[in-house]
Amino acid sequence: MIRYLKWASRAIWVCFLVWILFMWLCSPVVALHYSVEATEPIGYFLDTESSITKRVLTPGDSTFITTAMNPPSDMWVTLSFPVASRDVLEVTEPFSRIDVYIGPGARIERTEIRHGFFARFTDPD
């Protein structure tokens, strides 16, 4: 009997960990790609309705930030570079993945917003 309880306890933990991993992997993603041609690091703020991320990108870096798994239909995302540039990106529509390409001088050169569920797992062409 105890052997079955141990097995059941382990199975519950595995299911819990798989669920956490699933929730993390399947959340919508904001991907930032900083140009290799840039000469200095930039700081950025990514403000989603539920959290604020403050980090630094160095030239040639890419970073991926997950957002809320089940965002409300009126959720917004704002990306800004408060010290380096006046460029601001605001997204108010639902998305699966946003790829933001940042050039020298912290200028937003291109943005790709994708909506398909599996788009969050692949890089744009």
Side-chain angles (χ1 to χ4, degrees), residues 35-77:
S35 174
V36 295
E37 298 169 0
T39 57
E40 56 188 50
I42 58 168
Y44 68 88
F45 290 116
L46 182 71
D47 185 4
T48 63
E49 201 165 322
S50 59
S51 68
I52 297 175
T53 302
K54 302 176 222 173
R55 293 191 188 144
V56 174
L57 278 175
T58 57
D61 273 355
S62 290
T63 188
F64 303 89
I65 301 113
T66 57
T67 62
M69 177 64 175
N70 296 311
S73 60
D74 60 346
M75 181 180 147
W76 45 265
V77 173

Side-chain angles (χ1 to χ4, degrees), residues 4 6 10 15 17 20 28 33 56 60 62 70 72 80 82 85-86 91 96-97 103 106-107 111 113 115 118 120:
Y4 293 116
K6 285 183 182 180
R10 288 182 184 151
C15 289
L17 293 175
I20 295 294
H33 311 282
V56 174
S62 290
N70 296 311
S80 64
S85 170
R86 291 184 178 226
V91 177
S96 178
R97 178 178 173 139
R107 305 292 298 172
T111 302
I113 300 173
H115 302 283
F118 292 105
R120 67 192 76 193

Side-chain angles (χ1 to χ4, degrees), residues 30-33 79 89 98-102 108 110-112:
V30 177
L32 305 177
H33 311 282
L79 172 67
L89 173 68
I98 301 174
D99 283 277
V100 181
Y101 296 89
I102 307 159
I108 297 175
R110 186 175 90 212
T111 302
E112 294 183 23

